[in-house]
Amino acid sequence: MADIVPAVLQTGLQGPPGPLPPEVLEARAVVLLILDGLGAEQLAARPRTAPTLHEMHASTITTVAPSTTASVLTSIATGVGVGEHGIVGYRIRTDDGNLNVLKWRTPQGDGLERHPPERFQPVASFGGQRPPALQRDAYRKSGFSRAYLRDARRFGYKMLSSLAVEVRRLLAAGESFVYAYYEGLDVVAHEHAFGEHYEAELRACDRLMADLLTAVPRGTAVVATSDHGLVDCSGGLVKIDRAVLDCARAESGEARFRWLHARPGRGRELYRAAVGAHGHQAWVRTASEVIDEGWLGPVVTEAARSRLGDVALVAQDRWAFGHPDDGGSKIVGRHGSLTPAEMLVPLLVHVS
């Protein structure tokens, strides 16, 4: 996942040119579209719902851990792993409580002053180049956009029908690379999982792609992928065992990748309690094991390490660990963990 942008822009890629076929790298212009929440397993199961996307499916690639939007979008834009850019989850522990990265807020309020996005996430996006990045207008000036799209020129659109139009206009103005993002499938799946609402939204994504392929000039490569897939967790939330909570001073992360922060001197006790209570529901790892096993990439900075908890509960199957800040049972489609349904995403390619 993190190799796509460096390969297209030829910036900072170590080794072979990532997962992209040669014709993409030889194109006059490249459009990279991120369809939030489109897992490879979900797309493969619905060829008739999304025929355009299905025909474009070139390969399946692996996203980063945790498989959550804030972490993955930052890895896509920066071309580095989570341990290097430091956006280690959806809710990150700070000295004034958990920073909700997508809202850039802590319990104290707006986090922009206490946690300036450009310092919180110090890695240049797009190799320091300044390509146009297209997203919902409401997100354009957000703290998270400032963090992960820090070097891009941010453009907004208000309606889905405008996205292909804005891409065409940017290419017509001479841009050779356009980044675009659409979140609809993820939003719908959070509320409805994989029923008829999901199918309707997937058809809308397919129409978006058809419109985009029609709009771009000859010689343009359109590459689409996703930040993660999803799991239906409608069976309900798991309450973290009291023996575990007694050893923890705080929690961060999210329902399928929960970090537990130990009370002073109780790290080993916390780990043992978590394994005993939830080892059948989650991969239970210490922070050192997560780092040593390479979950966060080859580099983990001191800043990133300081934002991790002491013990990770990483949900298996369809489990999810409850917390009031995670949206409760209203969210049924979830992601963040390491299952194939979440970690495997399609790489879609079309060269006009």
Side-chain angles (χ1 to χ4, degrees):
M1 179 66 71
D3 288 341
I4 293 174
V5 164
V8 171
L9 299 182
Q10 299 180 8
T11 57
L13 184 68
Q14 304 295 321
L20 296 174
E23 56 266 30
V24 172
L25 307 182
E26 297 166 2
R28 295 178 184 176
V30 177
V31 176
L32 175 60
L33 173 63
I34 309 301
L35 294 171
D36 195 322
L38 180 62
E41 290 189 357
Q42 292 98 63
L43 178 61
R46 297 168 175 84
R48 294 184 179 179
T49 306
T52 305
L53 299 176
H54 199 267
E55 289 177 7
M56 291 174 63
H57 194 173
S59 61
T60 296
I61 61 175
T62 305
T63 191
V64 303
S67 56
T68 193
T69 299
S71 299
V72 184
L73 293 188
T74 309
S75 281
I76 292 172
T78 62
V80 301
V82 171
E84 190 166 349
H85 62 62
I87 303 297
V88 299
Y90 164 55
R91 291 186 296 123
I92 299 176
R93 193 68 184 167
T94 71
D95 55 5
D96 58 338
N98 284 338
L99 175 69
N100 181 315
V101 173
L102 298 184
K103 297 179 179 179
W104 214 263
R105 295 184 64 84
T106 72
Q108 312 305 317
D110 194 320
L112 291 174
E113 183 174 343
R114 290 182 60 87
H115 307 287
E118 296 83 1
R119 281 193 286 178
F120 198 85
Q121 194 296 99
V123 181
S125 61
F126 305 106
Q129 299 183 28
R130 302 193 67 248
L134 187 60
Q135 58 186 332
R136 288 273 192 192
D137 194 61
Y139 304 151
R140 188 165 55 90
K141 296 182 180 180
S142 70
F144 176 55
S145 292
R146 284 172 51 184
Y148 94 98
L149 297 174
R150 50 178 297 156
D151 298 291
R153 292 172 288 132
R154 300 192 297 275
F155 292 81
Y157 66 90
K158 292 186 177 179
M159 304 300 292
L160 178 58
S161 58
S162 301
L163 191 153
V165 175
E166 295 298 333
V167 169
R168 180 190 61 77
R169 294 179 66 178
L170 288 166
L171 293 173
E175 301 290 350
S176 60
F177 174 75
V178 177
Y179 169 92
Y181 169 77
Y182 176 62
E183 77 286 357
L185 197 62
D186 184 64
V187 172
V188 169
H190 279 322
E191 185 173 357
H192 300 286
F194 302 123
E196 60 181 327
H197 294 85
Y198 181 90
E199 298 276 341
E201 183 60 29
L202 183 56
R203 283 193 291 271
C205 291
D206 200 68
R207 289 193 296 271
L208 166 63
M209 180 56 74
D211 290 345
L212 186 59
L213 296 183
T214 301
V216 300
R218 290 191 60 82
T220 301
V222 176
V223 177
T225 188
S226 182
D227 48 354
H228 55 74
L230 293 124
V231 173
D232 183 347
C233 298
S234 56
L237 297 174
V238 176
K239 291 184 178 180
I240 295 179
D241 189 83
R242 173 50 57 186
V244 176
L245 295 178
D246 286 345
C247 301
R249 61 182 173 86
E251 302 173 42
S252 61
E254 48 221 290
R256 286 186 58 79
F257 200 118
R258 172 76 80 243
W259 281 109
L260 304 171
H261 300 253
R263 296 183 186 276
R266 301 185 71 178
R268 291 184 179 180
E269 185 183 355
L270 174 62
Y271 174 76
R272 290 194 296 268
V275 170
H278 301 294
H280 64 295
Q281 299 166 319
W283 294 285
V284 182
R285 295 289 191 277
T286 65
S288 295
E289 289 173 331
V290 167
I291 293 170
D292 292 344
E293 292 174 16
W295 291 22
L296 306 181
V299 176
V300 178
T301 66
E302 290 186 13
R305 176 64 181 87
S306 71
R307 297 167 187 173
L308 307 178
D310 297 283
V311 175
L313 286 179
V314 185
Q316 300 180 23
D317 301 323
R318 296 170 60 182
W319 303 109
F321 295 99
H323 190 281
D325 291 348
D326 286 332
S329 59
K330 294 184 293 184
I331 297 179
V332 292
R334 293 184 181 270
H335 51 85
S337 187
L338 306 181
T339 67
E342 295 156 287
M343 290 293 292
L344 299 180
V345 295
L347 183 68
L348 315 174
V349 176
H350 181 275
V351 180
S352 61

